[in-house]
Amino acid sequence: MKQVIAGNWKMNGAPDGVAGYATALRGAAAHTLLIVCPPFPLLPAFAAALAGSGVAVGAQDCHASAAGAHTGDVSAVLLKQIGALYVILGHSERRADHGESNAVVNGKVRAALAAGLVPIVCVGETEQQRDAGEAEDVVRTQLTHSLPAEFTGLVAYEPVWAIGTGRTPSEADVTAMHAAIRAALVAQFPATGATTPILYGGSVKPGNAAALLGLPEVGGALVGGASLNAADFLAIAANAPSV
Ligand code: PGA
């Protein structure tokens, strides 16, 4: 399976940056699957600019309902209609800023699947939880409760303390966590758990991408800050192992 390199633009970007970025990605021979996840208002422009390129577009959140009285929210159904194929769900910034529990994330994952979107479900421990030796238990609990029985898609392991900090876990810690996630997925989803891609996220840069992406059970990267620059994003993808 090709590695997946997904860019999470968070609340960054502007309309005048779409064309140049899309052109850069279009021109790159990618041995990976590239996914760009810009803020909602930029999704239609990206979907148009990347149509037919093989580069996919994803959103950063969706609501658990298909429509209705939910001011300020966006449904998975509408995201699918405007050209998104993927949706990041349960990112730690949403869990923290918007109080999203595992149960809330679970509802969103179900809505995404019902709408035909592929969810990228984020899990990861805080620094305090890692220091207390609870990291794997925390992540296992997030998987158990955030993923519905019908789950298919991707999982992203993002230690909260590594996001936007320039710090990354040791290779041994990433390897151990990805093995724990794989075991949990196989136990929870006997039919699909062995092949669910598990991305690593948290301060992935061109300089550390080769080491991180080469670790066992790392199926790609969820990239925040470094995805805003097309050259950096592509340099990360270029460092992914070929399969
Ligand atoms: P970062 O963010 O690459 O800026 O650390 C990753 C993420 O939050 O998805």
Side-chain angles (χ1 to χ4, degrees):
M1 209 184 289
K2 277 185 177 184
Q3 287 222 341
V4 177
I5 310 296
N8 174 10
W9 278 29
K10 308 192 179 185
M11 200 170 71
N12 297 296
D16 63 4
V18 172
Y21 192 93
T23 301
L25 265 52
R26 269 185 171 279
H31 63 292
T32 55
L33 170 60
L34 298 176
I35 308 172
V36 184
C37 302
F40 290 132
L42 301 185
L43 282 168
F46 261 116
L50 291 170
S53 69
V55 179
V57 174
Q60 300 172 16
D61 183 40
C62 71
H63 195 271
S65 297
H70 302 288
T71 302
D73 281 311
V74 177
S75 76
V77 173
L78 180 58
L79 292 171
K80 184 73 198 288
Q81 287 171 350
I82 63 160
L85 291 179
Y86 293 83
V87 59
I88 298 169
L89 293 172
H91 191 282
S92 62
E93 287 154 14
R94 300 234 27 116
R95 291 177 186 263
D97 295 353
H98 299 271
E100 290 191 7
S101 63
N102 290 320
V104 167
V105 176
N106 190 301
K108 293 181 174 200
V109 174
R110 281 185 279 135
L113 291 168
L117 293 177
V118 179
I120 303 172
V121 182
C122 302
V123 294
E125 82 286 355
T126 63
E127 184 157 37
Q128 197 182 15
Q129 289 164 333
R130 174 156 290 275
D131 289 347
E134 298 166 355
E136 290 186 15
D137 281 344
V138 166
V139 166
R140 272 191 286 265
T141 300
Q142 289 173 330
L143 292 169
T144 305
H145 297 287
S146 299
L147 303 180
E150 68 269 36
F151 172 73
T152 59
L154 298 83
V155 167
Y157 168 56
E158 297 207 309
V160 177
W161 52 272
I163 294 174
T165 60
R167 298 165 59 204
T168 54
S170 69
E171 293 182 13
D173 284 345
V174 173
T175 301
M177 182 60 85
H178 279 240
I181 292 171
R182 175 64 69 210
L185 289 172
V186 168
Q188 198 174 342
F189 304 100
T192 58
T195 53
T196 298
I198 307 170
L199 313 185
Y200 168 78
S203 295
V204 177
K205 311 276 182 228
N208 62 19
L212 288 163
L213 292 169
L215 296 173
E217 300 292 8
V218 173
L222 182 53
V223 185
S227 73
L228 294 171
N229 178 292
D232 286 348
F233 188 53
L234 291 170
I236 289 168
N239 277 297
S242 310
V243 285

